[in-house]
Amino acid sequence: MTGQRPTPRLFAICQCCVSDGVPRRSFIVALIVGTILNLINQGDALFGDGRVNWAKIILTFAVPYCVATYGAVSYRLTAPRSAR
């Protein structure tokens, strides 16, 4: 596989993931949604005597980031240029 160029679709997906404010908006969504979900799921550990599960905290922020990025990229790849 060395020496092969990535497919144009894969290149477009990667380009959309890092351009036009997608990372910033996805980060904001992840910060808001991840905070709410962590308070719901681990509130007892964060404010009480429970043990904090750091893997769950990281995943609870990572999943909304990935979902928001996926939504933005899929919209940009399917929407007509005039609607963007």
Side-chain angles (χ1 to χ4, degrees):
M1 283 211 162
T2 46
Q4 290 182 340
R5 298 183 67 192
T7 63
R9 178 111 170 128
L10 180 60
F11 180 74
I13 290 170
C14 292
Q15 190 175 20
C16 286
C17 284
V18 296
S19 65
D20 295 332
V22 170
R24 182 178 181 273
R25 283 190 300 274
S26 295
F27 176 77
I28 292 169
V29 168
L31 192 62
I32 294 168
V33 174
T35 299
I36 293 168
L37 290 175
N38 271 312
L39 290 174
I40 292 169
N41 294 330
Q42 296 200 69
D44 57 336
L46 296 171
F47 299 115
D49 295 334
R51 184 177 166 142
V52 175
N53 187 333
W54 289 102
K56 284 184 181 179
I57 288 178
I58 292 168
L59 286 173
T60 304
F61 284 102
V63 169
Y65 182 88
C66 292
V67 170
T69 301
Y70 172 79
V73 170
S74 64
Y75 170 76
R76 289 174 187 225
L77 293 176
T78 60
R81 290 206 184 267
S82 60
R84 292 185 218 168

